[in-house]
Amino acid sequence: MDTDPDTPRTLTSASIALGYAGLLPQIICVALAMSGHEYGYSALAGGFAYGAAIFSFLGGVWWGQAIASGKGGPGAYLVAVMPSLLSVALFLPWSFGWDWPGPALMYLGALILLSPFVDRALGFAAKDFLQLRWHLSIGLGLLTIALGVIANRIV
């Protein structure tokens, strides 16, 4: 992560390793969806569920950081609940039988991809945490968008 000896480290080796391991479920979903296997559609649904869960989790992280910092105002808490609300909204097309899952996966992936900008704007995250967030969000965001592209081809 950060090699500057003057920058305090807030992450442990375990938190970094487990963070990157969190990309594995989406990698498996992409592989299954691409394989043409009978579980391809289930992989799309699972990939959406996983991406939505992680995106909602990020809102919880923002909420916790706002509380821990003692500087969280109403805007920070409003931003923190948005990932859960957006995830549910992106699930609604499937619930109603509309055009799903491709568009929802692509929107969800884009939101995950852009989420570190929220971390930066809130200003609560430590430097090494923010660097890890960029890596994981780029990875998960692009994998989720890839699922959306695959979905548009197979659904």
PDB file of all heavy atoms in Angstrom, residues 101-141:
ATOM      1  N   PRO A 101     -31.148  -8.215 -16.202  1.00  0.00           N
ATOM      2  CA  PRO A 101     -30.299  -7.563 -15.221  1.00  0.00           C
ATOM      3  C   PRO A 101     -29.220  -6.660 -15.800  1.00  0.00           C
ATOM      4  O   PRO A 101     -28.533  -5.971 -15.070  1.00  0.00           O
ATOM      5  CB  PRO A 101     -29.663  -8.730 -14.497  1.00  0.00           C
ATOM      6  CG  PRO A 101     -29.501  -9.772 -15.560  1.00  0.00           C
ATOM      7  CD  PRO A 101     -30.693  -9.582 -16.478  1.00  0.00           C
ATOM      8  N   GLY A 102     -29.052  -6.677 -17.132  1.00  0.00           N
ATOM      9  CA  GLY A 102     -27.952  -5.928 -17.747  1.00  0.00           C
ATOM     10  C   GLY A 102     -27.859  -4.476 -17.332  1.00  0.00           C
ATOM     11  O   GLY A 102     -26.828  -4.037 -16.801  1.00  0.00           O
ATOM     12  N   PRO A 103     -28.898  -3.678 -17.544  1.00  0.00           N
ATOM     13  CA  PRO A 103     -28.800  -2.261 -17.174  1.00  0.00           C
ATOM     14  C   PRO A 103     -28.543  -2.058 -15.682  1.00  0.00           C
ATOM     15  O   PRO A 103     -27.715  -1.218 -15.305  1.00  0.00           O
ATOM     16  CB  PRO A 103     -30.155  -1.690 -17.585  1.00  0.00           C
ATOM     17  CG  PRO A 103     -30.649  -2.607 -18.653  1.00  0.00           C
ATOM     18  CD  PRO A 103     -30.146  -3.968 -18.269  1.00  0.00           C
ATOM     19  N   ALA A 104     -29.212  -2.830 -14.856  1.00  0.00           N
ATOM     20  CA  ALA A 104     -29.024  -2.672 -13.404  1.00  0.00           C
ATOM     21  C   ALA A 104     -27.593  -2.992 -13.003  1.00  0.00           C
ATOM     22  O   ALA A 104     -27.003  -2.287 -12.174  1.00  0.00           O
ATOM     23  CB  ALA A 104     -30.006  -3.561 -12.647  1.00  0.00           C
ATOM     24  N   LEU A 105     -27.025  -4.044 -13.591  1.00  0.00           N
ATOM     25  CA  LEU A 105     -25.639  -4.396 -13.283  1.00  0.00           C
ATOM     26  C   LEU A 105     -24.681  -3.291 -13.722  1.00  0.00           C
ATOM     27  O   LEU A 105     -23.721  -2.972 -13.016  1.00  0.00           O
ATOM     28  CB  LEU A 105     -25.272  -5.720 -13.955  1.00  0.00           C
ATOM     29  CG  LEU A 105     -25.805  -6.974 -13.263  1.00  0.00           C
ATOM     30  CD1 LEU A 105     -25.814  -8.153 -14.210  1.00  0.00           C
ATOM     31  CD2 LEU A 105     -24.981  -7.278 -12.019  1.00  0.00           C
ATOM     32  N   MET A 106     -24.928  -2.712 -14.878  1.00  0.00           N
ATOM     33  CA  MET A 106     -24.035  -1.648 -15.360  1.00  0.00           C
ATOM     34  C   MET A 106     -24.133  -0.391 -14.488  1.00  0.00           C
ATOM     35  O   MET A 106     -23.115   0.217 -14.159  1.00  0.00           O
ATOM     36  CB  MET A 106     -24.316  -1.356 -16.820  1.00  0.00           C
ATOM     37  CG  MET A 106     -23.803  -2.477 -17.703  1.00  0.00           C
ATOM     38  SD  MET A 106     -23.719  -2.009 -19.411  1.00  0.00           S
ATOM     39  CE  MET A 106     -25.055  -2.966 -20.064  1.00  0.00           C
ATOM     40  N   TYR A 107     -25.358  -0.027 -14.103  1.00  0.00           N
ATOM     41  CA  TYR A 107     -25.503   1.132 -13.206  1.00  0.00           C
ATOM     42  C   TYR A 107     -24.856   0.855 -11.852  1.00  0.00           C
ATOM     43  O   TYR A 107     -24.153   1.711 -11.304  1.00  0.00           O
ATOM     44  CB  TYR A 107     -26.977   1.494 -13.009  1.00  0.00           C
ATOM     45  CG  TYR A 107     -27.607   2.198 -14.172  1.00  0.00           C
ATOM     46  CD1 TYR A 107     -28.726   1.672 -14.799  1.00  0.00           C
ATOM     47  CD2 TYR A 107     -27.087   3.403 -14.651  1.00  0.00           C
ATOM     48  CE1 TYR A 107     -29.318   2.316 -15.875  1.00  0.00           C
ATOM     49  CE2 TYR A 107     -27.669   4.048 -15.730  1.00  0.00           C
ATOM     50  CZ  TYR A 107     -28.782   3.505 -16.331  1.00  0.00           C
ATOM     51  OH  TYR A 107     -29.355   4.139 -17.403  1.00  0.00           O
ATOM     52  N   LEU A 108     -25.092  -0.335 -11.317  1.00  0.00           N
ATOM     53  CA  LEU A 108     -24.504  -0.686 -10.023  1.00  0.00           C
ATOM     54  C   LEU A 108     -22.979  -0.669 -10.109  1.00  0.00           C
ATOM     55  O   LEU A 108     -22.300  -0.126  -9.223  1.00  0.00           O
ATOM     56  CB  LEU A 108     -25.013  -2.059  -9.572  1.00  0.00           C
ATOM     57  CG  LEU A 108     -24.492  -2.565  -8.236  1.00  0.00           C
ATOM     58  CD1 LEU A 108     -24.857  -1.609  -7.098  1.00  0.00           C
ATOM     59  CD2 LEU A 108     -25.041  -3.958  -7.967  1.00  0.00           C
ATOM     60  N   GLY A 109     -22.438  -1.242 -11.175  1.00  0.00           N
ATOM     61  CA  GLY A 109     -20.983  -1.237 -11.353  1.00  0.00           C
ATOM     62  C   GLY A 109     -20.421   0.169 -11.430  1.00  0.00           C
ATOM     63  O   GLY A 109     -19.377   0.468 -10.839  1.00  0.00           O
ATOM     64  N   ALA A 110     -21.114   1.056 -12.140  1.00  0.00           N
ATOM     65  CA  ALA A 110     -20.652   2.447 -12.244  1.00  0.00           C
ATOM     66  C   ALA A 110     -20.690   3.137 -10.883  1.00  0.00           C
ATOM     67  O   ALA A 110     -19.766   3.885 -10.526  1.00  0.00           O
ATOM     68  CB  ALA A 110     -21.507   3.206 -13.256  1.00  0.00           C
ATOM     69  N   LEU A 111     -21.737   2.877 -10.110  1.00  0.00           N
ATOM     70  CA  LEU A 111     -21.830   3.483  -8.774  1.00  0.00           C
ATOM     71  C   LEU A 111     -20.707   2.994  -7.864  1.00  0.00           C
ATOM     72  O   LEU A 111     -20.104   3.784  -7.120  1.00  0.00           O
ATOM     73  CB  LEU A 111     -23.196   3.183  -8.150  1.00  0.00           C
ATOM     74  CG  LEU A 111     -24.373   3.915  -8.780  1.00  0.00           C
ATOM     75  CD1 LEU A 111     -25.698   3.309  -8.308  1.00  0.00           C
ATOM     76  CD2 LEU A 111     -24.313   5.406  -8.476  1.00  0.00           C
ATOM     77  N   ILE A 112     -20.411   1.700  -7.934  1.00  0.00           N
ATOM     78  CA  ILE A 112     -19.307   1.148  -7.137  1.00  0.00           C
ATOM     79  C   ILE A 112     -17.986   1.759  -7.599  1.00  0.00           C
ATOM     80  O   ILE A 112     -17.146   2.158  -6.781  1.00  0.00           O
ATOM     81  CB  ILE A 112     -19.276  -0.388  -7.238  1.00  0.00           C
ATOM     82  CG1 ILE A 112     -20.508  -0.985  -6.546  1.00  0.00           C
ATOM     83  CG2 ILE A 112     -17.987  -0.949  -6.648  1.00  0.00           C
ATOM     84  CD1 ILE A 112     -20.724  -2.461  -6.847  1.00  0.00           C
ATOM     85  N   LEU A 113     -17.807   1.840  -8.902  1.00  0.00           N
ATOM     86  CA  LEU A 113     -16.579   2.386  -9.481  1.00  0.00           C
ATOM     87  C   LEU A 113     -16.331   3.820  -9.017  1.00  0.00           C
ATOM     88  O   LEU A 113     -15.196   4.214  -8.744  1.00  0.00           O
ATOM     89  CB  LEU A 113     -16.688   2.317 -11.003  1.00  0.00           C
ATOM     90  CG  LEU A 113     -15.473   2.577 -11.859  1.00  0.00           C
ATOM     91  CD1 LEU A 113     -14.383   1.574 -11.584  1.00  0.00           C
ATOM     92  CD2 LEU A 113     -15.865   2.511 -13.326  1.00  0.00           C
ATOM     93  N   LEU A 114     -17.390   4.592  -8.910  1.00  0.00           N
ATOM     94  CA  LEU A 114     -17.270   6.005  -8.532  1.00  0.00           C
ATOM     95  C   LEU A 114     -17.320   6.254  -7.027  1.00  0.00           C
ATOM     96  O   LEU A 114     -17.063   7.378  -6.577  1.00  0.00           O
ATOM     97  CB  LEU A 114     -18.378   6.803  -9.222  1.00  0.00           C
ATOM     98  CG  LEU A 114     -18.325   6.808 -10.745  1.00  0.00           C
ATOM     99  CD1 LEU A 114     -19.579   7.455 -11.318  1.00  0.00           C
ATOM    100  CD2 LEU A 114     -17.070   7.514 -11.242  1.00  0.00           C
ATOM    101  N   SER A 115     -17.627   5.226  -6.245  1.00  0.00           N
ATOM    102  CA  SER A 115     -17.822   5.416  -4.801  1.00  0.00           C
ATOM    103  C   SER A 115     -16.621   5.988  -4.038  1.00  0.00           C
ATOM    104  O   SER A 115     -16.827   6.697  -3.042  1.00  0.00           O
ATOM    105  CB  SER A 115     -18.299   4.121  -4.154  1.00  0.00           C
ATOM    106  OG  SER A 115     -17.314   3.110  -4.222  1.00  0.00           O
ATOM    107  N   PRO A 116     -15.374   5.739  -4.446  1.00  0.00           N
ATOM    108  CA  PRO A 116     -14.277   6.362  -3.700  1.00  0.00           C
ATOM    109  C   PRO A 116     -14.289   7.898  -3.743  1.00  0.00           C
ATOM    110  O   PRO A 116     -13.711   8.548  -2.871  1.00  0.00           O
ATOM    111  CB  PRO A 116     -13.017   5.802  -4.366  1.00  0.00           C
ATOM    112  CG  PRO A 116     -13.455   4.499  -4.932  1.00  0.00           C
ATOM    113  CD  PRO A 116     -14.859   4.751  -5.399  1.00  0.00           C
ATOM    114  N   PHE A 117     -14.954   8.468  -4.752  1.00  0.00           N
ATOM    115  CA  PHE A 117     -15.086   9.920  -4.767  1.00  0.00           C
ATOM    116  C   PHE A 117     -15.903  10.394  -3.567  1.00  0.00           C
ATOM    117  O   PHE A 117     -15.673  11.484  -3.045  1.00  0.00           O
ATOM    118  CB  PHE A 117     -15.730  10.408  -6.071  1.00  0.00           C
ATOM    119  CG  PHE A 117     -14.823  10.332  -7.263  1.00  0.00           C
ATOM    120  CD1 PHE A 117     -15.048   9.402  -8.260  1.00  0.00           C
ATOM    121  CD2 PHE A 117     -13.728  11.190  -7.377  1.00  0.00           C
ATOM    122  CE1 PHE A 117     -14.210   9.327  -9.364  1.00  0.00           C
ATOM    123  CE2 PHE A 117     -12.871  11.127  -8.476  1.00  0.00           C
ATOM    124  CZ  PHE A 117     -13.121  10.193  -9.474  1.00  0.00           C
ATOM    125  N   VAL A 118     -16.844   9.577  -3.127  1.00  0.00           N
ATOM    126  CA  VAL A 118     -17.629   9.915  -1.931  1.00  0.00           C
ATOM    127  C   VAL A 118     -16.732   9.862  -0.710  1.00  0.00           C
ATOM    128  O   VAL A 118     -16.776  10.768   0.138  1.00  0.00           O
ATOM    129  CB  VAL A 118     -18.848   8.974  -1.775  1.00  0.00           C
ATOM    130  CG1 VAL A 118     -19.581   9.248  -0.474  1.00  0.00           C
ATOM    131  CG2 VAL A 118     -19.776   9.098  -2.967  1.00  0.00           C
ATOM    132  N   ASP A 119     -15.898   8.821  -0.611  1.00  0.00           N
ATOM    133  CA  ASP A 119     -14.944   8.740   0.499  1.00  0.00           C
ATOM    134  C   ASP A 119     -14.088  10.005   0.559  1.00  0.00           C
ATOM    135  O   ASP A 119     -13.889  10.581   1.623  1.00  0.00           O
ATOM    136  CB  ASP A 119     -14.008   7.538   0.328  1.00  0.00           C
ATOM    137  CG  ASP A 119     -14.675   6.226   0.599  1.00  0.00           C
ATOM    138  OD1 ASP A 119     -15.214   5.645  -0.362  1.00  0.00           O
ATOM    139  OD2 ASP A 119     -14.648   5.780   1.751  1.00  0.00           O
ATOM    140  N   ARG A 120     -13.590  10.386  -0.600  1.00  0.00           N
ATOM    141  CA  ARG A 120     -12.727  11.575  -0.657  1.00  0.00           C
ATOM    142  C   ARG A 120     -13.489  12.828  -0.278  1.00  0.00           C
ATOM    143  O   ARG A 120     -12.992  13.667   0.472  1.00  0.00           O
ATOM    144  CB  ARG A 120     -12.104  11.699  -2.045  1.00  0.00           C
ATOM    145  CG  ARG A 120     -10.938  12.678  -2.050  1.00  0.00           C
ATOM    146  CD  ARG A 120     -10.133  12.588  -3.292  1.00  0.00           C
ATOM    147  NE  ARG A 120     -10.911  13.113  -4.411  1.00  0.00           N
ATOM    148  CZ  ARG A 120     -10.529  13.063  -5.663  1.00  0.00           C
ATOM    149  NH1 ARG A 120      -9.391  12.491  -5.976  1.00  0.00           N
ATOM    150  NH2 ARG A 120     -11.264  13.574  -6.618  1.00  0.00           N
ATOM    151  N   ALA A 121     -14.721  12.967  -0.763  1.00  0.00           N
ATOM    152  CA  ALA A 121     -15.518  14.154  -0.458  1.00  0.00           C
ATOM    153  C   ALA A 121     -15.888  14.221   1.024  1.00  0.00           C
ATOM    154  O   ALA A 121     -15.882  15.304   1.619  1.00  0.00           O
ATOM    155  CB  ALA A 121     -16.783  14.173  -1.315  1.00  0.00           C
ATOM    156  N   LEU A 122     -16.196  13.071   1.617  1.00  0.00           N
ATOM    157  CA  LEU A 122     -16.533  13.067   3.042  1.00  0.00           C
ATOM    158  C   LEU A 122     -15.318  13.404   3.898  1.00  0.00           C
ATOM    159  O   LEU A 122     -15.451  14.041   4.937  1.00  0.00           O
ATOM    160  CB  LEU A 122     -17.118  11.708   3.448  1.00  0.00           C
ATOM    161  CG  LEU A 122     -18.510  11.395   2.923  1.00  0.00           C
ATOM    162  CD1 LEU A 122     -18.889   9.946   3.236  1.00  0.00           C
ATOM    163  CD2 LEU A 122     -19.546  12.357   3.499  1.00  0.00           C
ATOM    164  N   GLY A 123     -14.139  12.955   3.477  1.00  0.00           N
ATOM    165  CA  GLY A 123     -12.903  13.307   4.159  1.00  0.00           C
ATOM    166  C   GLY A 123     -12.633  12.554   5.445  1.00  0.00           C
ATOM    167  O   GLY A 123     -11.789  12.977   6.239  1.00  0.00           O
ATOM    168  N   PHE A 124     -13.310  11.448   5.688  1.00  0.00           N
ATOM    169  CA  PHE A 124     -13.125  10.695   6.929  1.00  0.00           C
ATOM    170  C   PHE A 124     -12.094   9.584   6.798  1.00  0.00           C
ATOM    171  O   PHE A 124     -11.596   9.078   7.795  1.00  0.00           O
ATOM    172  CB  PHE A 124     -14.451  10.059   7.386  1.00  0.00           C
ATOM    173  CG  PHE A 124     -15.568  11.044   7.604  1.00  0.00           C
ATOM    174  CD1 PHE A 124     -16.840  10.774   7.125  1.00  0.00           C
ATOM    175  CD2 PHE A 124     -15.362  12.232   8.292  1.00  0.00           C
ATOM    176  CE1 PHE A 124     -17.882  11.659   7.325  1.00  0.00           C
ATOM    177  CE2 PHE A 124     -16.402  13.129   8.501  1.00  0.00           C
ATOM    178  CZ  PHE A 124     -17.660  12.842   8.022  1.00  0.00           C
ATOM    179  N   ALA A 125     -11.784   9.147   5.586  1.00  0.00           N
ATOM    180  CA  ALA A 125     -10.963   7.954   5.362  1.00  0.00           C
ATOM    181  C   ALA A 125      -9.474   8.260   5.484  1.00  0.00           C
ATOM    182  O   ALA A 125      -8.988   9.282   4.997  1.00  0.00           O
ATOM    183  CB  ALA A 125     -11.258   7.368   3.987  1.00  0.00           C
ATOM    184  N   ALA A 126      -8.763   7.334   6.113  1.00  0.00           N
ATOM    185  CA  ALA A 126      -7.306   7.410   6.180  1.00  0.00           C
ATOM    186  C   ALA A 126      -6.741   7.162   4.779  1.00  0.00           C
ATOM    187  O   ALA A 126      -7.378   6.533   3.929  1.00  0.00           O
ATOM    188  CB  ALA A 126      -6.766   6.365   7.156  1.00  0.00           C
ATOM    189  N   LYS A 127      -5.526   7.637   4.561  1.00  0.00           N
ATOM    190  CA  LYS A 127      -4.921   7.571   3.229  1.00  0.00           C
ATOM    191  C   LYS A 127      -4.772   6.133   2.723  1.00  0.00           C
ATOM    192  O   LYS A 127      -5.105   5.847   1.572  1.00  0.00           O
ATOM    193  CB  LYS A 127      -3.557   8.264   3.258  1.00  0.00           C
ATOM    194  CG  LYS A 127      -2.907   8.384   1.906  1.00  0.00           C
ATOM    195  CD  LYS A 127      -1.606   9.153   1.974  1.00  0.00           C
ATOM    196  CE  LYS A 127      -0.959   9.241   0.601  1.00  0.00           C
ATOM    197  NZ  LYS A 127       0.309   9.962   0.654  1.00  0.00           N
ATOM    198  N   ASP A 128      -4.309   5.227   3.572  1.00  0.00           N
ATOM    199  CA  ASP A 128      -4.130   3.847   3.105  1.00  0.00           C
ATOM    200  C   ASP A 128      -5.476   3.163   2.862  1.00  0.00           C
ATOM    201  O   ASP A 128      -5.619   2.372   1.932  1.00  0.00           O
ATOM    202  CB  ASP A 128      -3.239   3.029   4.038  1.00  0.00           C
ATOM    203  CG  ASP A 128      -3.756   2.902   5.457  1.00  0.00           C
ATOM    204  OD1 ASP A 128      -4.633   3.695   5.874  1.00  0.00           O
ATOM    205  OD2 ASP A 128      -3.263   2.009   6.177  1.00  0.00           O
ATOM    206  N   PHE A 129      -6.480   3.505   3.647  1.00  0.00           N
ATOM    207  CA  PHE A 129      -7.811   2.966   3.430  1.00  0.00           C
ATOM    208  C   PHE A 129      -8.370   3.460   2.098  1.00  0.00           C
ATOM    209  O   PHE A 129      -8.932   2.684   1.327  1.00  0.00           O
ATOM    210  CB  PHE A 129      -8.748   3.354   4.581  1.00  0.00           C
ATOM    211  CG  PHE A 129     -10.166   2.891   4.383  1.00  0.00           C
ATOM    212  CD1 PHE A 129     -10.516   1.583   4.621  1.00  0.00           C
ATOM    213  CD2 PHE A 129     -11.141   3.782   3.950  1.00  0.00           C
ATOM    214  CE1 PHE A 129     -11.824   1.139   4.429  1.00  0.00           C
ATOM    215  CE2 PHE A 129     -12.446   3.359   3.760  1.00  0.00           C
ATOM    216  CZ  PHE A 129     -12.792   2.035   4.000  1.00  0.00           C
ATOM    217  N   LEU A 130      -8.194   4.730   1.820  1.00  0.00           N
ATOM    218  CA  LEU A 130      -8.703   5.293   0.572  1.00  0.00           C
ATOM    219  C   LEU A 130      -8.006   4.666  -0.635  1.00  0.00           C
ATOM    220  O   LEU A 130      -8.644   4.379  -1.648  1.00  0.00           O
ATOM    221  CB  LEU A 130      -8.537   6.813   0.563  1.00  0.00           C
ATOM    222  CG  LEU A 130      -9.229   7.562  -0.564  1.00  0.00           C
ATOM    223  CD1 LEU A 130     -10.708   7.241  -0.637  1.00  0.00           C
ATOM    224  CD2 LEU A 130      -9.036   9.074  -0.392  1.00  0.00           C
ATOM    225  N   GLN A 131      -6.726   4.403  -0.518  1.00  0.00           N
ATOM    226  CA  GLN A 131      -5.996   3.754  -1.608  1.00  0.00           C
ATOM    227  C   GLN A 131      -6.556   2.339  -1.850  1.00  0.00           C
ATOM    228  O   GLN A 131      -6.785   1.945  -2.998  1.00  0.00           O
ATOM    229  CB  GLN A 131      -4.508   3.674  -1.292  1.00  0.00           C
ATOM    230  CG  GLN A 131      -3.677   3.113  -2.420  1.00  0.00           C
ATOM    231  CD  GLN A 131      -2.193   3.111  -2.109  1.00  0.00           C
ATOM    232  OE1 GLN A 131      -1.770   3.443  -1.008  1.00  0.00           O
ATOM    233  NE2 GLN A 131      -1.404   2.740  -3.090  1.00  0.00           N
ATOM    234  N   LEU A 132      -6.792   1.603  -0.783  1.00  0.00           N
ATOM    235  CA  LEU A 132      -7.381   0.275  -0.924  1.00  0.00           C
ATOM    236  C   LEU A 132      -8.782   0.368  -1.520  1.00  0.00           C
ATOM    237  O   LEU A 132      -9.156  -0.428  -2.380  1.00  0.00           O
ATOM    238  CB  LEU A 132      -7.429  -0.438   0.432  1.00  0.00           C
ATOM    239  CG  LEU A 132      -8.045  -1.837   0.441  1.00  0.00           C
ATOM    240  CD1 LEU A 132      -7.210  -2.807  -0.393  1.00  0.00           C
ATOM    241  CD2 LEU A 132      -8.184  -2.341   1.878  1.00  0.00           C
ATOM    242  N   ARG A 133      -9.553   1.346  -1.090  1.00  0.00           N
ATOM    243  CA  ARG A 133     -10.907   1.553  -1.619  1.00  0.00           C
ATOM    244  C   ARG A 133     -10.881   1.757  -3.124  1.00  0.00           C
ATOM    245  O   ARG A 133     -11.705   1.220  -3.849  1.00  0.00           O
ATOM    246  CB  ARG A 133     -11.576   2.746  -0.930  1.00  0.00           C
ATOM    247  CG  ARG A 133     -12.101   2.456   0.430  1.00  0.00           C
ATOM    248  CD  ARG A 133     -13.488   1.853   0.399  1.00  0.00           C
ATOM    249  NE  ARG A 133     -14.431   2.799  -0.157  1.00  0.00           N
ATOM    250  CZ  ARG A 133     -15.049   2.663  -1.331  1.00  0.00           C
ATOM    251  NH1 ARG A 133     -14.854   1.611  -2.070  1.00  0.00           N
ATOM    252  NH2 ARG A 133     -15.884   3.579  -1.769  1.00  0.00           N
ATOM    253  N   TRP A 134      -9.917   2.545  -3.611  1.00  0.00           N
ATOM    254  CA  TRP A 134      -9.804   2.752  -5.059  1.00  0.00           C
ATOM    255  C   TRP A 134      -9.562   1.425  -5.758  1.00  0.00           C
ATOM    256  O   TRP A 134     -10.233   1.107  -6.739  1.00  0.00           O
ATOM    257  CB  TRP A 134      -8.692   3.744  -5.386  1.00  0.00           C
ATOM    258  CG  TRP A 134      -9.142   5.164  -5.314  1.00  0.00           C
ATOM    259  CD1 TRP A 134      -8.813   6.084  -4.361  1.00  0.00           C
ATOM    260  CD2 TRP A 134     -10.021   5.838  -6.233  1.00  0.00           C
ATOM    261  NE1 TRP A 134      -9.443   7.273  -4.629  1.00  0.00           N
ATOM    262  CE2 TRP A 134     -10.187   7.159  -5.771  1.00  0.00           C
ATOM    263  CE3 TRP A 134     -10.686   5.451  -7.385  1.00  0.00           C
ATOM    264  CZ2 TRP A 134     -10.976   8.086  -6.426  1.00  0.00           C
ATOM    265  CZ3 TRP A 134     -11.479   6.369  -8.045  1.00  0.00           C
ATOM    266  CH2 TRP A 134     -11.621   7.678  -7.565  1.00  0.00           C
ATOM    267  N   HIS A 135      -8.617   0.642  -5.265  1.00  0.00           N
ATOM    268  CA  HIS A 135      -8.295  -0.637  -5.901  1.00  0.00           C
ATOM    269  C   HIS A 135      -9.516  -1.556  -5.935  1.00  0.00           C
ATOM    270  O   HIS A 135      -9.844  -2.129  -6.979  1.00  0.00           O
ATOM    271  CB  HIS A 135      -7.163  -1.342  -5.158  1.00  0.00           C
ATOM    272  CG  HIS A 135      -5.853  -0.644  -5.255  1.00  0.00           C
ATOM    273  ND1 HIS A 135      -4.731  -1.100  -4.611  1.00  0.00           N
ATOM    274  CD2 HIS A 135      -5.467   0.483  -5.894  1.00  0.00           C
ATOM    275  CE1 HIS A 135      -3.717  -0.290  -4.852  1.00  0.00           C
ATOM    276  NE2 HIS A 135      -4.137   0.676  -5.636  1.00  0.00           N
ATOM    277  N   LEU A 136     -10.160  -1.702  -4.788  1.00  0.00           N
ATOM    278  CA  LEU A 136     -11.287  -2.629  -4.702  1.00  0.00           C
ATOM    279  C   LEU A 136     -12.491  -2.127  -5.489  1.00  0.00           C
ATOM    280  O   LEU A 136     -13.204  -2.922  -6.115  1.00  0.00           O
ATOM    281  CB  LEU A 136     -11.661  -2.868  -3.235  1.00  0.00           C
ATOM    282  CG  LEU A 136     -10.571  -3.517  -2.381  1.00  0.00           C
ATOM    283  CD1 LEU A 136     -11.041  -3.654  -0.938  1.00  0.00           C
ATOM    284  CD2 LEU A 136     -10.132  -4.851  -2.954  1.00  0.00           C
ATOM    285  N   SER A 137     -12.730  -0.832  -5.476  1.00  0.00           N
ATOM    286  CA  SER A 137     -13.886  -0.290  -6.204  1.00  0.00           C
ATOM    287  C   SER A 137     -13.688  -0.363  -7.708  1.00  0.00           C
ATOM    288  O   SER A 137     -14.646  -0.630  -8.443  1.00  0.00           O
ATOM    289  CB  SER A 137     -14.156   1.152  -5.770  1.00  0.00           C
ATOM    290  OG  SER A 137     -14.561   1.157  -4.424  1.00  0.00           O
ATOM    291  N   ILE A 138     -12.485  -0.131  -8.160  1.00  0.00           N
ATOM    292  CA  ILE A 138     -12.212  -0.289  -9.593  1.00  0.00           C
ATOM    293  C   ILE A 138     -12.411  -1.753  -9.983  1.00  0.00           C
ATOM    294  O   ILE A 138     -13.080  -2.055 -10.974  1.00  0.00           O
ATOM    295  CB  ILE A 138     -10.795   0.214  -9.945  1.00  0.00           C
ATOM    296  CG1 ILE A 138     -10.745   1.744  -9.834  1.00  0.00           C
ATOM    297  CG2 ILE A 138     -10.378  -0.257 -11.335  1.00  0.00           C
ATOM    298  CD1 ILE A 138      -9.344   2.339  -9.882  1.00  0.00           C
ATOM    299  N   GLY A 139     -11.875  -2.652  -9.177  1.00  0.00           N
ATOM    300  CA  GLY A 139     -12.024  -4.072  -9.474  1.00  0.00           C
ATOM    301  C   GLY A 139     -13.473  -4.522  -9.465  1.00  0.00           C
ATOM    302  O   GLY A 139     -13.967  -5.102 -10.440  1.00  0.00           O
ATOM    303  N   LEU A 140     -14.188  -4.265  -8.378  1.00  0.00           N
ATOM    304  CA  LEU A 140     -15.570  -4.716  -8.265  1.00  0.00           C
ATOM    305  C   LEU A 140     -16.480  -3.975  -9.239  1.00  0.00           C
ATOM    306  O   LEU A 140     -17.380  -4.569  -9.835  1.00  0.00           O
ATOM    307  CB  LEU A 140     -16.081  -4.554  -6.834  1.00  0.00           C
ATOM    308  CG  LEU A 140     -17.471  -5.127  -6.573  1.00  0.00           C
ATOM    309  CD1 LEU A 140     -17.511  -6.624  -6.838  1.00  0.00           C
ATOM    310  CD2 LEU A 140     -17.919  -4.814  -5.152  1.00  0.00           C
ATOM    311  N   GLY A 141     -16.228  -2.689  -9.433  1.00  0.00           N
ATOM    312  CA  GLY A 141     -17.041  -1.924 -10.377  1.00  0.00           C
ATOM    313  C   GLY A 141     -16.915  -2.455 -11.792  1.00  0.00           C
ATOM    314  O   GLY A 141     -17.917  -2.671 -12.475  1.00  0.00           O
TER     315      GLY A 141
END
